[in-house]
Amino acid sequence: MTFPRSAAAPSRCLPFLLAGGQGSRLFELTSRVCKPALSFGSFEGRIVDFVLSATVRAGFENLFVATQYRPDGLCRHLDRNWAHNFARGVSIRDGAALSAHGYRGTADAVRANITSLDAFGPREIMILSGDHVLDIDLAALLQHHRSQECPVTVAATSVPLSTAGDFGIFDLDAGGRLSGFVEKPAHPTPMADDPGRALASTGIYVFDWIWLKAALRAGAGPAAARDDFGQDILPMALQEKALCVYRLPEGDEGRGAYWRDVGTLDAYRLAQLDFDAAETPVALPKTMRRPVTQSVDSFSEGTVYLPGSRAGRRSQIRNAIVGPGVQLPVGFRAGFDEEEDARWFRRSAGGTLLITAEMMARRETTLRKAPTRPLFRQRPRMTSLSPMEG
Ligand SMILES: Nc1ncnc2c1ncn2[C@@H]1O[C@H](COP(=O)(O)OP(=O)(O)O[C@H]2O[C@H](CO)[C@@H](O)[C@H](O)[C@H]2O)[C@@H](O)[C@H]1O
């Protein structure tokens, strides 16, 4: 499979893909696979395909990947479907194999690999996440970084204020200049020109390698322990006036960049709904294909079906993620009665219902064991007819 590539291949910038997080906010969905290796809707392919596609299109010829939590499925996928797209190879480093404690955070994943990264002789390192659904021109991001002569560039985009607490949020002063950054703030600052939204870090960064190495080395050891980009390295860069923001082009006439972090059940479901329409918001990566399975003759509203799942006839399902391989019986109903849903399934604060095969099996067993209701609540009164009445 060939990908169209950017005309100017970004030389000496090494993409570093973070793919080691547990994805705990997706609960049972990531109990067997890491988040990047999760399916996206009923499409064939994995979430990680979006960022890999953007990386190949930007013309990168190398890729460095940090894995840690349940890496097997991801490694197989990379090997079978992606490695051949990177002319100079894909290097995968697993945190658990590197040391007993593994990578202690996103920045520590880079620090633990400084020697191997040095061997590539990079001028910059571009940090990417394996669990974003995106279509971003990464070559333009690198070009912007180089034009600013700023050691750290963070790709940023606006998000609704209601979800801003899930992200690193920038503060801008009255003149639109960067004045602060807080990781997952309890009270995010709205943007001056759009009070319903806040300016969020996408978790995509370009670092001058010399600057980053020095920052990571200064933050090593239990006393400093600067292990996380959002918590530690970005605030440090801001303090040193070493940080610039690259605002992703936003939504004018469909030409904007598309970026979603699908780290929560709500975000994972909603992003998939964006791709439900015949015309998807951005082109699907070439490794992704249209539905493997579809629900049959059922009423589904706001619901996504993961591969191999199926809804029986006359079923009614609202705002749910139907997990891989789940077979919903004929006439099944979910998403209409909060109490009944919570009895069997996981329900997020934002109202997304997660239905897995294990939950369905538990439900079925419980319902089967439940005593069957008597046909009559009271024993029918025995009336004997007296001979006279007879
Ligand atoms: N120990 C480890 N080893 C290897 N990989 C690991 C890892 N821990 C996490 N990762 C990976 O790194 C990426 C970032 O994950 P995090 O969960 O730390 O950040 P989060 O998404 O919460 O915030 C971040 O991303 C959001 C945007 O999504 C920003 O707004 C916010 O500022 C930023 O901190 C994910 O792809 C994850 O799999």
Side-chain angles (χ1 to χ4, degrees):
M1 192 170 302
T2 53
F3 284 76
R5 287 170 188 269
S6 150
S11 61
R12 298 201 55 203
C13 175
L14 180 65
F16 187 109
L17 182 67
L18 288 163
Q22 189 177 344
S24 55
R25 290 174 299 167
L26 288 176
F27 300 95
E28 289 82 359
L29 282 178
T30 47
S31 59
R32 293 201 193 95
V33 286
C34 60
K35 206 167 15 160
L38 263 185
S39 313
F40 185 71
S42 49
F43 297 111
E44 280 179 9
R46 314 296 177 102
I47 293 178
V48 73
D49 293 350
F50 284 95
V51 70
L52 290 170
S53 177
T55 311
V56 173
R57 268 185 284 122
F60 289 104
E61 295 188 332
N62 287 318
L63 178 68
F64 201 99
V65 187
T67 59
Q68 181 148 286
Y69 173 78
R70 298 208 179 274
D72 297 355
L74 175 65
C75 292
R76 264 197 311 276
H77 180 63
L78 285 171
D79 188 41
R80 280 187 199 150
N81 302 310
W82 287 96
H84 62 276
N85 285 297
F86 294 91
R88 296 171 64 203
V90 175
S91 312
I92 304 178
R93 292 294 145 84
D94 189 60
L98 224 56
S99 69
H101 55 69
Y103 302 135
R104 283 176 292 225
T106 49
D108 191 48
V110 178
R111 182 191 292 119
N113 287 297
I114 285 181
T115 310
S116 312
L117 294 168
D118 257 340
F120 289 85
R123 183 170 142 189
E124 301 95 357
I125 299 274
M126 183 181 283
I127 305 292
L128 302 164
S129 280
D131 48 12
H132 292 166
V133 174
L134 54 75
D135 183 15
I136 294 178
D137 183 345
L138 299 175
L141 166 64
L142 178 62
Q143 210 169 37
H144 179 88
H145 173 81
R146 288 182 174 170
S147 72
Q148 295 295 299
E149 296 184 2
C150 183
V152 183
T153 301
V154 181
T157 191
S158 77
V159 295
L161 211 52
S162 54
T163 60
D166 290 337
F167 304 104
I169 298 295
F170 290 104
D171 287 346
L172 304 175
D173 67 17
R177 282 177 300 268
L178 207 56
S179 60
F181 174 81
V182 187
E183 180 70 5
K184 306 199 174 99
H187 304 288
T189 313
M191 288 158 60
D193 57 349
D194 193 348
R197 298 178 78 82
L199 188 61
S201 156
T202 60
I204 298 173
Y205 322 116
V206 186
F207 288 103
D208 283 355
W209 181 227
I210 289 181
W211 187 94
L212 183 58
K213 258 197 302 190
L216 292 172
R217 285 187 169 140
R226 293 198 196 111
D227 292 334
D228 188 78
F229 283 117
Q231 296 282 359
D232 310 309
I233 304 296
L234 296 201
M236 178 184 168
L238 192 67
Q239 207 175 18
E240 283 187 17
K241 299 199 183 326
L243 192 151
C244 293
V245 162
Y246 170 74
R247 210 112 168 230
L248 297 180
E250 282 180 46
D252 53 325
E253 292 142 29
R255 284 184 289 114
Y258 183 92
W259 175 86
R260 300 282 187 280
D261 178 333
V262 289
T264 62
L265 290 175
D266 296 319
Y268 180 61
R269 180 175 66 87
L270 293 173
Q272 293 177 65
L273 292 178
D274 284 351
F275 284 78
D276 242 12
E279 199 172 322
T280 55
V282 295
L284 284 169
K286 291 200 164 136
T287 44
M288 285 196 166
R289 274 180 207 80
R290 271 276 168 200
V292 183
T293 342
Q294 269 309 14
S295 56
V296 181
D297 188 20
S298 64
F299 164 79
S300 299
E301 186 190 324
T303 295
V304 295
Y305 291 87
L306 298 191
S309 61
R310 181 174 283 271
R313 284 189 317 281
R314 297 188 308 280
S315 50
Q316 293 179 300
I317 301 123
R318 206 158 63 170
N319 300 342
I321 299 168
V322 184
V326 173
Q327 306 294 308
L328 300 175
V330 171
F332 177 83
R333 262 182 125 242
F336 297 87
D337 178 341
E338 276 188 34
E339 214 175 295
E340 180 66 8
D341 290 341
R343 209 175 146 204
W344 311 112
F345 311 120
R346 183 175 290 285
R347 196 170 183 283
S348 74
T352 295
L353 207 61
L354 172 63
I355 304 176
T356 65
E358 288 78 9
M359 293 172 192
M360 283 303 287
R362 224 173 8 248
R363 176 179 177 274
E364 219 176 285
T365 313
T366 313
L367 291 179
R368 209 179 308 129
K369 277 193 199 147
T372 42
R373 283 194 184 158
L375 277 177
F376 303 102
R377 287 199 180 274
Q378 290 176 310
R379 292 185 75 186
R381 259 189 297 153
M382 302 290 283
T383 45
S384 53
L385 300 176
S386 68
M388 254 177 61
E389 285 166 325

